[in-house]
Amino acid sequence: MMSKTFYQTSMMSALIAGLYQGDFTIAQLLEHGDFGIGTFNDLDGEMIVLGKKVYQLTSKGDVRLVDHSITTPFASVVKFEPTTVENHLSELSRDALEAMLNQGLIEHNAINAIRLTGQFSYVKTRTVPAQQRPYPPMVEVVKHQPIREVEHVSGVMIGFKIPDYMIGINVPGYHFHFLSDDRSTGGHVSDFILTKGKLEMETFKDFHLRMPASSEFNQADLNPEDLKSAIHVTES
């Protein structure tokens, strides 16, 4: 039986370099997965893929279902069929959840897809605003991103644990996006406290990287000396 595949279009180092022009449609992305995260053309907000629905979490606080004809400059998806389920989780901070996962639930040198569903007493998110050409570097963009803090909200948090050796290709460590059940708020997760909920996971050991065909991508410096610190700034 063939292993299931973690599918990605473009690279994190390309976003760091300011390559925000999308060249891959949402319809094309959905051919490869039904669960994932990313961003949109011009870096216009955060993406959550749930089944055949793709949500755009904007810097203005809106949550929108997107047309499948729009494009993405960076996204990662899988066909999610959880093999690990932990019910009845309670009173977990982000740090506590990651510590629990690191103690044996994840495979450190594989890609782990993670879904956390439940009630949260606190969620802190940020969402990058749309950019215009000439695109500024991403380390500058994140200095101006709106930050939101919500309390007592039910929702779903999805994302991936990426191995450290994939730095530049993706974001090493844990990377989550949040969407409330009432579809009123969400974004890139900075912190949270889970009151009670359920954890679902699946491990992926096959990886497919689709590289953009643009001349900008071909000419970009995708391995700058400060890559590690730049990713820390943009993703923390």
Side-chain angles (χ1 to χ4, degrees):
M1 184 177 69
M2 290 183 63
S3 297
K4 294 174 63 181
T5 301
F6 176 90
Y7 187 95
Q8 180 175 308
T9 179
S10 195
M11 299 163 58
M12 187 62 198
S13 58
L15 284 190
I16 295 293
L19 276 63
Y20 311 145
Q21 184 68 46
D23 73 335
F24 200 61
T25 67
I26 299 303
Q28 290 173 306
L29 185 68
L30 290 174
E31 292 176 6
H32 302 280
D34 56 11
F35 174 101
I37 57 178
T39 187
F40 296 94
N41 186 50
D42 296 330
L43 209 64
D44 189 10
E46 310 291 335
M47 177 193 298
I48 282 190
V49 179
L50 289 173
K52 291 300 180 182
K53 293 182 178 181
V54 179
Y55 295 90
Q56 181 182 24
L57 317 171
T58 75
S59 61
K60 296 180 179 179
D62 301 326
V63 177
R64 306 171 185 163
L65 276 172
V66 302
D67 189 277
H68 291 181
S69 64
I70 70 170
T71 58
T72 173
F74 176 79
S76 305
V77 292
V78 296
K79 294 180 179 178
F80 189 58
E81 298 173 301
T83 54
T84 299
V85 178
E86 295 285 336
N87 290 299
H88 312 301
L89 297 181
S90 62
E91 300 304 326
L92 278 177
S93 66
R94 176 176 180 163
D95 288 346
L97 174 71
E98 293 182 7
M100 182 186 78
L101 295 174
N102 288 337
Q103 287 172 1
L105 288 178
I106 65 160
E107 295 191 29
H108 290 280
N109 287 322
I111 296 169
N112 300 265
I114 303 166
R115 178 167 63 198
L116 189 61
T117 310
Q119 298 174 16
F120 298 80
S121 60
Y122 175 75
V123 180
K124 181 180 180 180
T125 62
R126 57 85 168 159
T127 309
V128 290
Q131 302 299 303
Q132 297 180 339
R133 290 183 180 273
Y135 293 135
M138 197 172 180
V139 290
E140 295 299 320
V141 172
V142 297
K143 293 178 181 178
H144 309 289
Q145 60 187 341
I147 295 174
R148 288 183 174 81
E149 296 174 286
V150 295
E151 297 181 340
H152 308 299
V153 60
S154 296
V156 60
M157 192 172 293
I158 76 168
F160 301 100
K161 167 64 168 66
I162 302 293
D164 290 345
Y165 60 77
M166 290 181 66
I167 186 170
I169 297 174
N170 203 293
V171 180
Y174 294 92
H175 184 179
F176 295 111
H177 289 183
F178 177 76
L179 179 64
S180 63
D181 284 346
D182 63 6
R183 305 304 191 247
S184 67
T185 189
H188 171 96
V189 177
S190 301
D191 201 5
F192 67 87
I193 300 173
L194 175 74
T195 304
K196 60 179 180 179
K198 178 172 72 171
L199 173 73
E200 299 165 283
M201 296 175 48
E202 186 177 11
T203 301
F204 293 81
K205 294 186 176 180
D206 278 6
F207 172 58
H208 183 105
L209 174 63
R210 174 200 173 268
M211 299 182 187
S214 68
S215 59
E216 286 180 308
F217 181 83
N218 292 335
Q219 297 167 10
D221 179 5
L222 301 180
N223 190 31
E225 290 184 5
D226 61 348
L227 177 61
K228 186 174 182 179
S229 62
I231 289 178
H232 176 74
V233 169
T234 58
E235 296 303 316
S236 60

